[in-house]
Every structure is written in structure tokens, then in C-alpha cells.
Amino acid sequence: MKPEAGNQKVQTYQRGLEGLEVTDTRISLIDGVKSRLIYRGYPVDELAENCSFEEVTYLILHGNLPNQQEYSQWKDELREWRIPPKEAFDSLSIIPSNAHPLAQYRTMLTIAACHIPEAGRSDMQAQWRRPARILSWSAALAAGAIRHLNSQAPLPPKDDLDFSANFLWQALEREVSPEEKSAFEASLIVQAEHGLHAAAFAALIVISTGADLGSAVLAGMGALSGVRHGGANQLAYEDISKFECAEEARVWARKQLDEGYRFPGYGHRVYKCPDPRVAVLESHAKNLLASKGMEDRWEIYSAVRAEIEGALSPKGIYANVDSITGLIYAPLGLPVSSFPIPFCLAIETGWMAHCLEYLPHGAMIEPGAVYLTSS
Amino acid sequence: MTTYRTLSSNFSWALDELDWPVTSEVGPGLSGVIATGTRVSWLDPSSGALEYRGVPIEELAGMHSFEEIAHLLITGNEPDEDKEAFSAFRDQLRASRVLPDDVIALIRSLDSQIHPTSILRAGVSALGCHEMSHEDELSGERHWRELRIIAQVAALVVQIIRHRAGKEIAEFQSENELAFEVLRAIQDTDPDAKDVRSLNLLWVLFADHGLDAPTFTSMVVASALADPYYNVVAGLSALRGHRLGGASETVLEQILPLDTPENARSWVASTIASGGRIAGFGHRLYRIPDPRVVILRKEVAAQARRKGKSELFDIARAVEDEAQRHLAPRGVHLNINFYAALLFHLLGADTPLLPCLYMVGRMAGLMARVHEELENPRLYRPLGHYTGYPVRHITPEKGR
């Protein structure tokens, strides 16, 4: 079916284009009533439990889980692109290290984009050669940006490690335990695709102009960097990291509830029910925190969450994925200001899938604006 | 509830007010969708009307500098209304052209033949690292921030032009307007008044044109409350597409090799006969000639004559006539890129610089709309219509 076929002739929508169906998609189903997130038919909890990040990225991009041969080719292709252009790392030396890691990361990506192969091509063959390069370069540059926060030089990749273990190695300079890796990988898998949220929509607009896939990803990252969007996991973790004990946190949460504070990491435009991604990550976060002697963080999180959900769940406000990913990234030793980066890395997969799905038939996206004449 | 017939030529795209939710027609590429209500400008593709803050484009073009139009678009005030406010605005704009040494060093560290739009995007991103530290609050005087970015983008383009030509770093003089400084970078000498007028004219015509992809991308990114430099990086990413910024380069690639009006005509005829595209023709919105074309054609004619390149104008006219003869019956008309590309060329700009030069002008409208968006932001989050697999489960051997 052509992507445009889903467009009804007449639609009703709110500001922010809420409720407007932009295109048909076969990539994911976000069920905000029954609390389900499905990639290409598979529930996300089953994918997180049984699959690697590489398998899930293949699934999201191509529509099916890879067979043995496709899987090993995809892993090889990802591994081939682990070394981004040197110029991108060099640019770190002149970027102020107090800039937000996402801004540093973005700058490295814009420099890397000056050195991409087949820069002028936007035909489908060339576009399909790009996802592996984009994912692997992004991972290496993201790790470099995180190292730069502590004024450390980037590390070379380790070929014997898979995508997520290698990313953690390049970011942390240590080989992580199997528990750490599976917690991190689960966080990447549940965040790898989420429909036409603002960032994916920005990417879709850019690809619709005939731009290259990397340019679309850069636009998506722009939207993601906003505090309303991808920056929320950092803010959510900062909120709960100021407390010594659960009781103190509970008192704070009650007070904030009274004052109508908008808690980062809670509530969602689509989910008016528990966010299915949270359930997947709960045991990972709890166990990982316990293994690092950080059980109190889990207790504080649970106390705050119970207060907020107790008060606001009748209004459809529950903890969303941003409330919990920090509880995996913190015990791994990632700096708090870098928390948005793994999310960004994972969800590039979904943006690329939406772009590649839209491209063959999609018209250039250009809505209208109504000129308001009242004073 | 009213259903707006937005895809009909009777819809004027102007309303007293807008009550959400709205019901409208929706066509391919979200044509017909009402993404927002605006007071920045009025664009009615069916009548050809284009007004910036209520002033018709015909009254603005050729009468005002780009700095004045940027002021109009962003503040809603004409420069004559409040001379003091305008001088403050202009001084701020000009002072913002001084870039950090590191950013200039970054530009100059890149191969000068990399496409200028890629270098510009990297430059804006690096500049954002300098301007916004991670402790920075995004509230406060947005107004000045946006103004500053317009000037900074122009300054980056100037430095890219200098680097591309293998020339030294440009130093800006506060008494010189933006158009003067950009032309000085291109021509490597003080430009004359007529060239300054032409560049201002181009930028005024390009300053705003509804929700084109760079502008709308920037608005979507702004709605997530991203840092303003990121809005621009995203907008510049949309500029790279061959359907957009790349189109003006293709115009020159097609026109410049043509040597006589006669050959131009036969090239057009054979290109169209073989199903090829003539760059500079066709616009998503317009089924009638773009009103901006008339203004630009006159300017190109005068500049070509003045620079002893009348032949180029004659060739362009021949291409236009011949293509119009074939394409007008199909509702395909000349768009602004055609004569704009020729005018940039007559001013001395290297072909790959065209998208960047266009963008300097568009930054005024883009920033005005981002500013408007941020007065009452709501995250753009539309939906996809799921037509994929029903739920399936992972088998022990997975898909294999």
C-alpha cells in the first residue's frame, strides 16, 4: 500500500497536529489504551527479552527479524563503520567542554556529515547504504562526546564486542558485566522506535525534500534535544537524585503535586495508561542499582512514582520511559548530562525506518499557515 | 464545525481567528493542512498575494534593506514607526557578526570544496556550543537571541565564502549593512550601490514564504524547546534536498552552458520532449505565475545589461518562453529560483553558494515564525496510520 493512501480527504486535528494521520506506516503500533508497543508486529517486551539491539534494528528497518545470514551480514556492516572521520573527533578540541553533550555530539555529526561517501546521492540504493554507517558513526561519536565531558580522548572500538557492549566500552573504558550489558541493551531496544513523535516528524520533513538520510537524522536530533522531548530523562533523574531517603522524596513529591509541578518523566501524549517500556526496564534497573549498592535510588524512585501515580493516574498520567532510563545509566557510570544520548542513539533507528518507508512515494511535506486578521 | 476547503482555490488562507481543533482537507505532503495560525505573513497561492505583516511584497521589494525587513518580520513594526528601536535592532544585528575564533578556525579546518551548506550547518552547530552552555536557561530575551542568529548565519556565510575562495578572514565594519558585507566577501572589493540593492531585493523576496521545509522543520524542533541553534541546524538540513535548496544550483548548471537563445530554445524543447526537467519551473503551491518572478526578471534584465551580459538574459528569456509554451497549459510556471539563481550569478556568486545565500534571507522569516511558535509552544506530534502486521510472537528459533 502506498504511504499516502492513509490520508483521508478530510481530517480533524488539534494544535501541534495532534490527531492528524500523516502517512500509513507498517513500522510500529503504539497502543495508548491497552499499554502496548509493537515493532513490526512484535511486542517490545518480547524483543527486549530475546533479541540483540542489532536484530531489533534490522527488524525495524527491514520489516522482519534477520535470518542467520542476514544477521551476520548486518553485524559485519555495522562493525565496518565503527570508525568515523577523524575530523569529527578533531572538532572536539575546539568545542567548549561545558557545552551540552548533545550539542557537542551534534557538532561532531555535522562535521562527519561533511565527509560522507556519496554525499550528492539521494536515490534509494544510496539511502539504504546509510543506516549502518549512521548508527555506528553515531555510537562512536556519542561515546567520544561522553569522554570529552571528562576531558578524555576517544577510544578505539573493540571488534570482538557487539554494538551495545562496544558503545559502553568506548564511553566508559571498561568491559561491562553481562547484567550491565543486558540492562543497557534493553533500554536501547525499547527506545528504538516510537512512531511519528516530534523528532521523527522533523526527520520525515527533511527526507521529503530529497535530502540524505543523515540530514534527516540531524533534524530529528534537534527536536530530541529539546527539554520537552529527549532531555526529559536527565531532568527526571536530577529530580530524584537530590534526596537522601524515600521519605524525604515522598514529602517533596506531595508538595510539588500540590503546586501543580509538571514532573519530567511522567505523562505522555499517547499513553494514557502505564508506559509498556517502563515495565520492561524495571527489573533491570532495580537489580543493577542493587549490584552497585544504590538500592536507595530505587526506593526513592518508587516512592516518588507511587505518590505521583497515586494522585495523577486517574487523569491518565503514569511514569513514562524517561523516568526510569536514568536508573540504568547512572549505575553504569554514565554522566547525568549524557543521559539523552543513548536514547538518541537508539531512536535514530526508528527515524531512519520512517524516512525509508516514506521516500519511495512521499511528497514533499509542506503544510499551510492561516494568516490571522483579528487584532 | 466548519470544514475548511483548503485545497480549493477559493480558500484564501486568511481568517479572523482559528479555533482548534480544525477540520480541513488533507492532500499529499500535508498540503491543505493548517499547521498554525500566524501574524507574520500572508501567502495566498491562488491569488498570488504575499504580504509581510500586512504590507504587500510589491511595496517592500526594492524599497527596503534586508535589515529593515528582518525587523518588520520579527517585531511587526516598520522601521519608520520607531526609528530608535530600529537603530538598536540594527546595531545589535551588526555587532553579532563577530564570530568566536574557534568557530572560524573550524570552518577553515575543513576542505574548502566541501559543499557550503554542509560547512554552514557545522558552523552553526559549533557556534551553538559557544553560545549555549548546558546550564543555560532558554527563557529570557529570545527576541535578541533570534536576531543574533540571523546575523551569525550571515557572518558564517561570509567566512565560508572567503575560505572557499582561498582568501583571508573577513573583518566587518559596523557602518556596513549585511548585504554590503556579503557582497564584499564575494567580490573581494567594496560593492557598488546597485549590487547592494540587488542582493537586498533578493533577500527581501526570499525572507518569508509560508511553511517551506526549512522553516517548518525549525518550528517543529522549536516546539520541543530545543536550543535555538539546533532549530537552525535542523532547518539547514532540510535545505540540502535537491527538491529545495539544490534547485537553484541546477538552474545555473542548465543555463550557463547554453550559448545562444536559439540553442536554448531547442535544448528546452528536446529536454521536455524526452521527459526531462527544466530547473526553475513548477511550484507545489502555485498554479499561477509566482508574483515574485516579475520583480526579479526586471532586476536581472537591468543587471545583465549593466554588466555587459545581456546575452545571458536573452538566453534566460528564451528558456522561459519556450518552457512556458510547453508547461503553462499543464499549470507549471516559472518559480522564484530561476531568475534568483541568475541574479546571484550576476552578483558574482559561485554556484554552490546559492543555497547558503538564499538561506541568509530566509532566516528572517524562519526566526520570526520560530519566535511566534515559542510565544505559545505546543509540541508537533502527529500520527501514523498503522497498516502493519497484527501482533505476532517470537518463536524459539526467532525469525530464522
Side-chain angles (χ1 to χ4, degrees):
Chain A
M1 192 185 287
K2 287 186 178 181
E4 291 293 339
N7 278 354
Q8 298 160 14
K9 274 210 125 54
V10 170
Q11 294 196 49
T12 300
Y13 44 92
Q14 291 281 359
R15 268 194 79 209
L17 303 185
E18 180 181 347
L20 181 79
E21 289 185 346
V22 171
T23 178
D24 281 2
T25 179
R26 302 176 58 83
I27 298 170
S28 69
L29 174 65
I30 307 168
D31 185 337
V33 180
K34 290 193 207 146
S35 184
R36 290 189 305 176
L37 172 61
I38 284 156
Y39 299 163
R40 302 282 190 181
Y42 295 109
V44 76
D45 51 317
E46 289 185 32
L47 292 168
E49 199 169 320
N50 297 293
C51 298
S52 69
F53 181 64
E54 288 93 324
E55 284 174 295
V56 174
T57 52
Y58 187 96
L59 170 73
I60 291 169
L61 288 162
H62 294 274
N64 282 302
L65 284 166
N67 64 30
Q68 205 70 55
Q69 194 196 354
E70 290 163 335
Y71 188 35
S72 88
Q73 279 173 357
W74 176 237
K75 282 194 291 191
D76 287 347
E77 201 186 340
L78 285 164
R79 203 176 291 117
E80 270 166 36
W81 289 108
R82 279 187 180 173
I83 301 181
K86 185 179 162 298
E87 290 87 347
F89 282 127
D90 290 348
S91 67
L92 276 178
S93 64
I94 60 162
I95 300 171
S97 58
N98 68 338
H100 193 284
L102 264 186
Q104 299 182 22
Y105 177 39
R106 158 194 91 197
T107 303
M108 288 195 289
L109 287 174
T110 60
I111 300 283
C114 292
H115 300 91
I116 62 171
E118 310 179 297
R121 286 184 61 178
S122 56
D123 53 285
M124 287 311 290
Q125 288 80 9
Q127 298 282 28
W128 270 109
R129 279 193 285 275
R130 292 177 168 141
R133 175 176 55 73
I134 290 169
L135 279 171
S136 290
W137 279 12
S138 303
L141 295 171
I146 292 170
R147 299 263 303 162
H148 185 58
L149 284 176
N150 298 321
S151 308
Q152 292 162 319
L155 288 172
K158 281 197 172 184
D159 274 352
D160 56 324
L161 297 178
D162 71 7
F163 187 92
S164 42
N166 180 61
F167 170 78
L168 290 172
W169 154 256
Q170 288 191 281
L172 302 169
E173 202 174 4
R174 67 183 178 86
E175 284 198 32
V176 295
S177 70
E179 293 73 29
E180 288 177 309
K181 177 177 129 52
S182 72
F184 183 72
E185 194 156 19
S187 86
L188 292 184
I189 288 170
V190 302
Q191 297 181 99
E193 151 61 17
H194 215 242
L196 288 184
H197 56 191
F201 185 46
L204 207 62
I205 302 165
V206 170
I207 206 74
S208 82
T209 67
D212 64 281
L213 198 58
S215 288
V217 167
L218 267 168
M221 278 191 48
L224 202 74
S225 73
V227 293
R228 274 227 183 129
H229 208 349
N233 66 354
Q234 176 187 344
L235 300 177
Y237 187 80
E238 282 167 356
D239 266 358
I240 60 164
S241 55
K242 353 180 238 226
F243 307 111
E244 298 289 328
C245 67
E247 189 46 40
E248 194 188 344
R250 209 172 278 126
V251 171
W252 170 82
R254 276 192 215 118
K255 184 160 168 289
Q256 297 304 111
L257 278 167
D258 287 343
E259 289 171 7
Y261 175 65
R262 198 170 149 179
F263 294 89
Y266 290 82
H268 196 272
R269 177 91 68 96
V270 182
Y271 296 117
K272 301 301 174 200
C273 54
D275 181 336
R277 299 169 294 177
V278 173
V280 176
L281 299 182
E282 273 171 352
S283 59
H284 284 296
K286 190 177 175 192
N287 295 340
L288 201 53
L289 286 166
S291 74
K292 306 276 176 183
M294 296 168 74
E295 296 90 342
D296 54 334
R297 285 301 113 198
W298 182 257
E299 285 159 24
I300 290 166
Y301 168 70
S302 303
V304 168
R305 183 172 151 191
E307 287 298 327
I308 297 170
E309 289 187 340
L312 300 178
S313 62
K315 293 185 189 166
I317 294 177
Y318 293 87
N320 68 40
V321 74
D322 292 323
S323 73
I324 197 167
T325 48
L327 298 171
I328 290 172
Y329 303 151
L332 278 169
L334 290 166
V336 177
S337 64
S338 77
F339 286 1
I341 284 182
F343 174 30
C344 195
L345 190 56
I347 202 151
E348 286 175 7
T349 316
W351 305 340
M352 292 192 288
H354 283 286
C355 289
L356 291 165
E357 183 183 58
Y358 188 82
L359 263 182
H361 310 285
M364 184 151 86
I365 294 175
E366 189 175 350
V370 157
Y371 184 66
L372 301 173
T373 53
S374 64
S375 46
Chain B
M1 194 191 297
T2 322
T3 298
Y4 295 112
R5 298 285 165 204
T6 46
L7 294 176
S8 129
S9 56
N10 296 327
F11 190 71
S12 70
W13 289 95
L15 293 168
D16 265 3
E17 48 194 33
L18 204 53
D19 286 323
W20 301 96
V22 299
T23 303
S24 77
E25 294 176 320
V26 178
L30 302 191
S31 55
V33 166
I34 299 171
T36 189
T38 182
R39 297 181 191 280
V40 174
S41 77
W42 178 40
L43 173 65
D44 178 11
S46 46
S47 71
L50 176 61
E51 293 183 2
Y52 296 166
R53 298 281 185 183
V55 189
I57 190 72
E58 291 81 359
E59 287 178 28
L60 295 170
M63 308 298 289
H64 293 279
S65 72
F66 173 66
E67 292 174 348
E68 290 169 321
I69 296 305
H71 180 261
L72 171 68
L73 282 167
I74 290 178
T75 66
N77 299 322
E78 288 186 64
D80 302 340
E81 277 176 40
D82 184 350
K83 286 204 159 70
E84 210 170 297
F86 175 68
S87 324
F89 180 97
R90 193 191 53 204
D91 293 346
Q92 178 79 22
L93 192 73
R94 293 184 183 177
S96 302
R97 297 181 300 198
V98 181
L99 302 172
D101 292 343
D102 280 354
V103 173
I104 295 176
L106 179 74
I107 289 171
R108 296 184 84 91
S109 75
L110 294 165
D111 181 336
S112 64
Q113 296 312 302
I114 290 169
H115 199 280
T117 52
S118 294
I119 304 183
L120 178 60
R121 186 170 63 181
V124 171
S125 183
L127 197 50
C129 291
H130 278 269
E131 297 265 322
M132 319 285 298
S133 81
H134 58 286
E135 290 97 6
D136 210 349
E137 274 293 318
L138 289 180
S139 53
E141 284 284 341
R142 296 210 65 101
H143 196 94
W144 290 111
R145 176 77 79 189
E146 282 135 18
L147 184 64
R148 192 166 162 77
I149 296 174
I150 295 174
Q152 287 175 324
V153 166
L156 283 165
V157 170
V158 163
Q159 300 298 1
I160 291 166
I161 292 168
R162 300 297 296 172
H163 176 46
R164 193 176 165 79
K167 305 282 186 188
E168 72 282 11
I169 296 166
E171 306 282 344
F172 297 96
Q173 312 293 328
S174 59
E175 68 272 20
N176 293 339
E177 61 176 300
L178 278 187
F180 186 98
E181 291 288 9
V182 169
L183 282 167
R184 193 156 69 111
I186 293 173
Q187 301 178 348
D188 204 24
T189 180
D190 284 358
D192 66 36
K194 292 213 162 108
D195 282 357
V196 173
R197 187 197 116 96
S198 285
L199 187 54
N200 273 316
L201 175 71
L202 278 164
W203 282 343
V204 169
L205 293 179
F206 275 131
D208 189 80
H209 203 252
L211 306 186
D212 70 326
T215 308
F216 188 48
T217 306
S218 295
M219 286 167 58
V220 170
V221 172
S223 80
L225 306 185
D227 89 53
Y229 290 84
Y230 226 146
N231 304 340
V232 178
V233 168
L236 289 172
S237 295
L239 186 64
R240 286 307 313 274
H242 61 84
R243 289 182 182 167
L244 218 72
S248 52
E249 291 172 81
T250 318
V251 170
L252 290 183
E253 284 158 13
Q254 291 186 342
I255 301 281
L256 295 182
L258 301 170
D259 51 357
T260 64
E262 293 69 40
N263 289 345
R265 278 178 198 280
S266 55
W267 170 77
V268 171
S270 66
T271 303
I272 292 176
S274 63
R277 284 182 55 105
I278 309 293
F281 281 80
H283 193 284
R284 247 284 288 292
L285 299 174
Y286 290 112
R287 291 291 170 266
I288 57 159
D290 183 331
R292 298 169 299 171
V293 167
V294 184
I295 303 169
L296 270 179
R297 189 196 287 118
K298 230 175 95 193
E299 189 76 7
V300 170
Q303 282 283 21
R305 209 177 311 119
R306 199 168 78 90
K307 292 178 184 283
K309 291 188 178 171
S310 292
E311 182 79 354
L312 181 62
F313 180 71
D314 295 340
I315 289 169
R317 266 325 285 250
V319 170
E320 182 189 358
D321 286 346
E322 186 66 19
Q324 207 75 299
R325 207 162 60 80
H326 294 279
L327 300 175
R330 300 184 215 164
V332 176
H333 295 275
L334 198 62
N335 67 42
I336 189 172
N337 287 325
F338 188 81
Y339 282 111
L342 289 165
L343 191 48
F344 279 128
H345 174 75
L346 288 168
L347 293 173
D350 210 4
T351 305
L353 288 171
L354 264 54
C356 283
L357 289 171
Y358 149 89
M359 197 64 194
V360 173
R362 178 53 52 87
M363 283 302 296
L366 186 151
M367 279 296 161
R369 286 175 185 273
V370 164
H371 185 71
E372 188 176 53
E373 177 69 37
L374 290 170
E375 281 168 10
N376 181 17
R378 180 142 209 270
L379 189 67
Y380 282 93
R381 203 213 190 286
L383 298 172
H385 175 72
Y386 186 66
T387 58
Y389 288 102
V391 175
R392 49 179 173 165
H393 297 281
I394 296 177
T395 52
E397 62 282 356
K398 298 183 188 168
R400 294 160 205 154

